[in-house]
Amino acid sequence: MTDAEREIFVDAKDGIVRRLVIVQFETVQKGSAFKFLYPPKPPARYGDETYRFGAYVYDDARSAATAPGKEADRTRRYLAQQGLSMPRLLRTARLARVADPQGQSEVILFYMENADSDYPAGPLPGADEDGDLPLDAASAAALLSRLAQAVRPEKG
């Protein structure tokens, strides 16, 4: 129902991804009745806009393995082609908003950090049925702050 374009920015050391920023633009395909309609809840300000905000840790390797051809798998394969190794676990801040009044496009900004050293091997303890472990409010705010330091929004 939509076409997506992703821009990926990577900070790596010794071939291992330490953190990355993914900017994703989605547009409704012609002829589709689909619309992006969702409130920015929970809200977070970034630049001049209000976004829907989420912060969590998730098993990116598991996500890629269980959904071949989807975002995690495609990103992992792309980065491997560039000689980069993705961590299994990613601490993630996700900002999303509808980008036009007609609901025909959205923009999503992901800020992700390698979280492998923070958790034991095996299933992510305390994760929900999707494999996400929500961050507490203080950790989420700190992650959003690191996102804002890494990617400074243009004002105006």
Side-chain angles (χ1 to χ4, degrees):
M1 294 185 289
T2 68
D3 292 317
E5 177 183 343
R6 302 182 95 199
E7 298 292 333
I8 303 170
F9 304 89
V10 179
D11 172 25
K13 183 176 181 180
D14 300 325
I16 299 172
V17 172
R18 296 186 328 179
R19 62 186 181 151
L20 62 152
V21 172
I22 299 175
V23 182
Q24 181 169 310
F25 302 97
E26 289 194 44
T27 306
V28 174
Q29 293 175 349
K30 288 188 185 259
S32 174
F34 178 82
K35 290 187 183 292
F36 293 102
L37 299 171
Y38 55 84
K41 292 182 181 176
R45 290 289 295 175
Y46 178 72
D48 290 339
E49 301 293 337
T50 301
Y51 290 77
R52 175 184 280 187
F53 174 61
Y56 49 90
V57 175
Y58 85 105
D59 189 329
D60 188 71
R62 175 180 169 255
S63 180
T66 59
K70 299 293 184 184
E71 293 171 358
D73 178 50
R74 292 177 72 170
T75 301
R76 292 179 83 81
R77 285 189 287 121
Y78 172 76
L79 292 175
Q81 291 170 353
Q82 310 307 311
L84 298 171
S85 176
M86 281 285 283
R88 177 178 73 98
L89 301 175
L90 291 168
R91 184 178 304 100
T92 303
R94 180 183 184 275
L95 294 171
R97 71 177 179 85
V98 179
D100 69 284
Q102 296 77 32
Q104 295 295 297
S105 62
E106 81 171 337
V107 60
I108 307 170
L109 179 63
F110 296 94
Y111 174 78
M112 303 172 169
E113 299 174 340
N114 184 333
D116 282 351
S117 65
D118 297 338
Y119 297 91
L124 189 58
D128 64 17
E129 65 277 356
D130 294 326
D132 298 340
L133 176 64
L135 295 177
D136 61 63
S139 297
L143 191 61
L144 182 60
S145 177
R146 291 194 298 277
L147 178 156
Q149 290 171 351
V151 182
R152 293 178 189 90
E154 184 175 304
K155 297 277 186 174

